[in-house]
């Protein structure tokens, strides 16, 4: 499978626990994005990387959230001290930077659904 | 700032009839527009995009979209709906220049009735 993969697909945790999600992008893609989607809403941008550099973070990304892409390949999104409001689908997407060989459309993974009890 | 409006939460259409899912956008400069589809408990799948050129863009599964600059719209259309088209559809926009991320609308649920 050469698409974007996310792990785990589902995570149930208790309030106050830490969780980490992993995303493996399409191998030749240099950009990697994290979005959050809650019920009845469209995906909301959280952050993105170009190679290993984190270029932009949304104000939605509180101090409890941290994302890394240490070698410019896979990425992790960690949520510390989870709250019930963190319950959502966390979507990862990758792309080639627009203007280069790519035309910038995002390719999404299946998502990681987080439920905080 | 960029924004997308999808004015209809739900669109119902009979199988075989044409369908339209509406989208209007706001962006400074030239837009880069997308439609994505989402099936239950799945990620988003790319349908089509508009960058420049012909205002009518053809995409996957027989879908097309018409870019209208004066009305800042990018409506999704299909001449003959299938039951299997029932899903959640998202319109998205970004500025053509620069590195801004895609901004999505709230989505429109399409229900095709046999």
């Amino acid at each position: 499978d050469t698409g974007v993969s996310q792990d785990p697909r589902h995570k149930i945790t208790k309030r106050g626990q830490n969780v980490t999600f992993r995303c493996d992008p399409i191998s030749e893609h240099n950009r990697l994005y994290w979005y959050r989607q809650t019920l009845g809403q469209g995906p909301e941008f959280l952050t993105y990387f170009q190679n290993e550099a984190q270029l932009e973070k949304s104000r939605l990304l509180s101090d409890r959230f941290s994302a890394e892409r240490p070698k410019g390949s896979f990425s992790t999104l960690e949520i510390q001290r989870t709250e019930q409001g963190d319950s959502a689908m966390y979507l990862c997407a990758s792309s080639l930077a627009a203007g280069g060989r790519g035309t910038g459309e995002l390719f999404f993974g299946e998502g990681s659904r987080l439920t905080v009890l | 700032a960029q924004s997308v409006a999808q004015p209809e939460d739900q669109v119902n259409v009979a199988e075989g009839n044409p369908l339209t899912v509406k989208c209007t956008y706001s962006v400074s400069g030239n837009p880069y527009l997308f439609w994505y589809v989402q099936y239950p408990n799945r990620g988003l799948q790319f349908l089509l995009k508009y960058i420049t050129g012909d205002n009518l863009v053809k995409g996957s599964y027989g879908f097309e979209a018409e870019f209208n600059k004066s009305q800042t719209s990018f409506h999704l259309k299909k001449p003959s709906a299938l039951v299997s088209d029932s899903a959640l559809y998202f319109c998205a926009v970004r500025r053509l220049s620069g590195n801004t991320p895609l901004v999505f609308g709230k989505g429109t649920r399409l229900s095709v009735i046999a």
Side-chain angles (χ1 to χ4, degrees), chain A residues 9 31 33 35 37 40-43 45 48 50 56 89 91 98 103-111 113, chain B residues 32 34 36 38 41-46 49 51 88 90 94 96 98-107:
Chain A
R9 292 289 311 279
R31 285 195 175 171
Y33 300 79
Y35 281 80
Q37 185 180 20
Q41 299 294 322
F45 169 75
Y48 89 96
Q50 179 152 318
E56 188 170 341
M89 176 80 87
L91 296 168
T103 50
E105 64 259 37
L106 305 187
F107 295 83
F108 282 85
E110 297 291 316
R113 182 169 295 284
Chain B
Y32 193 2
F34 299 80
Y36 283 82
Q38 186 176 36
N41 298 313
R42 305 294 295 274
L44 277 70
Q45 296 179 28
F46 169 76
K49 66 179 183 283
I51 308 175
L88 198 52
F90 292 98
R94 54 160 284 189
L96 187 57
N99 296 317
T100 57
L102 271 184
V103 172
F104 287 83
K106 291 180 61 175

Side-chain angles (χ1 to χ4, degrees), chain A residues 78-92:
Chain A
E78 181 183 16
I79 309 173
Q80 296 181 325
R81 305 181 303 281
T82 52
E83 301 172 356
Q84 288 183 326
D86 297 331
S87 295
M89 176 80 87
Y90 290 86
L91 296 168
C92 177

Side-chain angles (χ1 to χ4, degrees), chain A residues 1-116:
Chain A
D1 185 8
T2 57
V4 177
S5 63
Q6 293 188 244
D7 183 72
R9 292 289 311 279
H10 304 275
K11 178 72 176 178
I12 301 173
T13 191
K14 292 183 179 179
R15 190 177 54 190
Q17 298 295 305
N18 299 344
V19 297
T20 299
F21 301 114
R22 175 179 169 126
C23 172
D24 288 88
I26 294 171
S27 58
E28 63 267 29
H29 284 181
N30 54 358
R31 285 195 175 171
L32 187 149
Y33 300 79
W34 285 100
Y35 281 80
R36 180 173 69 187
Q37 185 180 20
T38 53
L39 200 61
Q41 299 294 322
E44 297 172 299
F45 169 75
L46 292 178
T47 188
Y48 89 96
F49 295 83
Q50 179 152 318
N51 301 314
E52 64 274 12
Q54 189 172 17
L55 294 188
E56 188 170 341
K57 292 193 290 186
S58 163
R59 63 177 186 274
L60 293 175
L61 213 65
S62 76
D63 291 345
R64 296 184 297 106
F65 287 69
S66 62
E68 295 182 342
R69 194 182 184 199
K71 297 182 180 179
S73 57
F74 74 91
S75 174
T76 58
L77 177 69
E78 181 183 16
I79 309 173
Q80 296 181 325
R81 305 181 303 281
T82 52
E83 301 172 356
Q84 288 183 326
D86 297 331
S87 295
M89 176 80 87
Y90 290 86
L91 296 168
C92 177
S94 69
S95 74
L96 285 170
R101 289 182 294 118
T103 50
E105 64 259 37
L106 305 187
F107 295 83
F108 282 85
E110 297 291 316
S112 293
R113 182 169 295 284
L114 173 65
T115 301
V116 182

Side-chain angles (χ1 to χ4, degrees), chain B residues 15-112:
Chain B
E15 188 176 29
N17 282 3
L19 69 88
T20 298
V21 182
K22 296 179 181 177
C23 170
T24 58
Y25 67 90
S26 173
V27 68
S28 57
N30 292 319
Y32 193 2
L33 293 153
F34 299 80
W35 277 100
Y36 283 82
V37 60
Q38 186 176 36
Y39 297 98
N41 298 313
R42 305 294 295 274
L44 277 70
Q45 296 179 28
F46 169 76
L47 275 181
L48 52 80
K49 66 179 183 283
Y50 171 83
I51 308 175
T52 60
D54 195 347
N55 289 344
L56 186 64
V57 178
K58 294 189 184 297
S60 307
Y61 312 120
F63 284 94
E64 57 190 28
E66 187 168 11
F67 172 65
N68 187 317
K69 187 172 183 177
S70 63
Q71 296 185 4
T72 61
S73 67
F74 189 57
H75 301 331
L76 181 70
K77 300 181 180 184
K78 187 173 182 180
S80 178
L82 300 173
V83 172
S84 57
D85 293 331
S86 299
L88 198 52
Y89 290 81
F90 292 98
C91 182
V93 69
R94 54 160 284 189
R95 270 206 319 265
L96 187 57
S97 60
N99 296 317
T100 57
L102 271 184
V103 172
F104 287 83
K106 291 180 61 175
T108 298
R109 184 165 301 282
L110 173 67
S111 181
V112 181

